[in-house]
Amino acid sequence: MSDLSSFGFVLPHWFYWGWLAVMPLIMMALDRWLSSRGVGAVDKNAEANEKLQQIEAELKKSVDYSDANNWFTNAVDWMSEKSGVFISFWTVNAVVFYFFEVVMRYVFNEPTIWVHEASFLLFGMQYLMAGAFALLHGAHVRVDVVYNFLPDRGRVGMDIFTSMFFFMFAIALMITSWTFLENSYSMDERTVETWGIQYWPVKGVMMFGSLLLFLAGLSKLLKDIVIFIKLGREQHA
């Protein structure tokens, strides 16, 4: 690796990874502390959650999934929810990084060598980790030309049918991610830019995100099967 001392302040690799791991926990704890004291700023989060629940209710129509939960689906849904909240705070880091870059570049005429790389790696990991959260909240893209005109059992049945394509993608992503992670770690792969940060943690996040996405899809499939059977019994009752 080249000598970085001539580039001014360079964010240490260990601090970058450590901060991404610790910072969201601090923010989540702070948010919980503020919520427990009824701070007004947190009311915006409550309002946003209420709107999100309305959107989810609209997507799910009249299908009630509450009776389809079990210990496995509850555990997976909890992990999907918390991981989504966790990585959402990473966006704050990107804002701080680019603010620092602008100040250094245009005020001190000393552009950094790490901000752009740190940010695009961050957004890439965010994208991979958000899949399970998006699936849990019905935020993935779906063509509703036929779907919205189906009865409740028809929509659930279509979800079960289309899940086979989802699992093909999820399994392929997991296998590919594991291969990428294994090769990257064994070769000590690093970025080609001057910062030269290791790639294997990024591909480790990719592996974890694909595994969580698979589990979230399995959780949804199990709930869909239970609801499909329940609605069928109600129709024949």
Side-chain angles (χ1 to χ4, degrees):
M1 183 183 299
S2 61
D3 182 16
L4 302 181
S5 59
S6 60
F7 293 101
F9 174 75
V10 179
L11 188 70
H13 298 168
W14 65 266
F15 186 85
Y16 177 72
W17 296 120
W19 182 247
L20 291 185
V22 174
M23 176 267 192
L25 298 178
I26 297 174
M27 297 297 291
M28 292 167 72
L30 178 62
D31 180 69
R32 177 173 295 184
W33 181 79
L34 292 174
S35 298
S36 65
R37 281 154 179 76
V39 177
V42 183
D43 292 340
K44 295 181 180 179
N45 291 335
E47 183 179 351
N49 289 333
E50 184 178 351
K51 291 181 179 179
L52 182 60
Q53 291 173 359
Q54 292 175 355
I55 295 173
E56 291 175 19
E58 178 64 22
L59 290 171
K60 293 178 180 179
K61 300 294 182 178
S62 57
V63 179
D64 182 13
Y65 284 84
S66 59
D67 295 335
N69 291 317
N70 55 51
W71 68 267
F72 174 78
T73 61
N74 287 334
V76 172
D77 292 352
W78 182 87
M79 288 190 294
S80 300
E81 178 71 24
K82 295 302 180 182
S83 65
V85 174
F86 182 92
I87 63 170
S88 68
F89 288 108
W90 283 355
T91 306
V92 178
N93 292 316
V95 175
V96 174
F97 289 165
Y98 277 114
F99 175 79
F100 180 80
E101 168 68 18
V102 169
V103 172
M104 295 302 294
R105 179 181 294 268
Y106 296 105
V107 177
F108 298 101
N109 196 27
E110 292 187 7
T112 69
I113 62 168
W114 56 270
V115 165
H116 177 68
E117 196 169 6
S119 298
F120 83 71
L121 289 177
L122 184 151
F123 285 128
M125 292 186 292
Q126 232 180 353
Y127 172 79
L128 292 165
M129 282 292 295
F133 180 86
L135 184 64
L136 175 65
H137 292 284
H140 283 281
V141 176
R142 179 177 57 210
V143 179
D144 293 336
V145 175
V146 177
Y147 189 87
N148 284 341
F149 293 97
L150 295 174
D152 291 347
R153 193 164 188 252
R155 290 198 302 273
V156 176
M158 180 170 284
D159 287 340
I160 295 173
F161 173 75
T162 56
S163 66
M164 73 173 70
F165 303 103
F166 164 83
F167 285 113
M168 290 171 59
F169 166 79
I171 292 172
L173 182 60
M174 279 195 299
I175 295 173
T176 304
S177 301
W178 172 253
T179 303
F180 285 168
L181 172 60
E182 190 176 29
N183 293 339
S184 181
Y185 184 79
S186 62
M187 296 186 300
D188 192 28
E189 183 184 16
R190 295 174 182 268
T191 59
V192 297
E193 303 295 335
T194 309
W195 195 34
I197 195 169
Q198 292 174 312
Y199 256 146
W200 70 262
V202 179
K203 296 180 179 180
V205 172
M206 179 180 179
M207 176 63 203
F208 181 77
S210 62
L211 175 61
L212 190 58
L213 178 63
F214 174 83
L215 293 175
L218 183 58
S219 172
K220 185 177 186 309
L221 176 61
L222 293 176
K223 289 185 286 187
D224 284 338
I225 292 174
V226 171
I227 293 299
F228 185 80
I229 295 173
K230 176 185 175 182
L231 293 175
R233 290 174 177 172
E234 291 178 354
Q235 287 180 356
H236 295 89

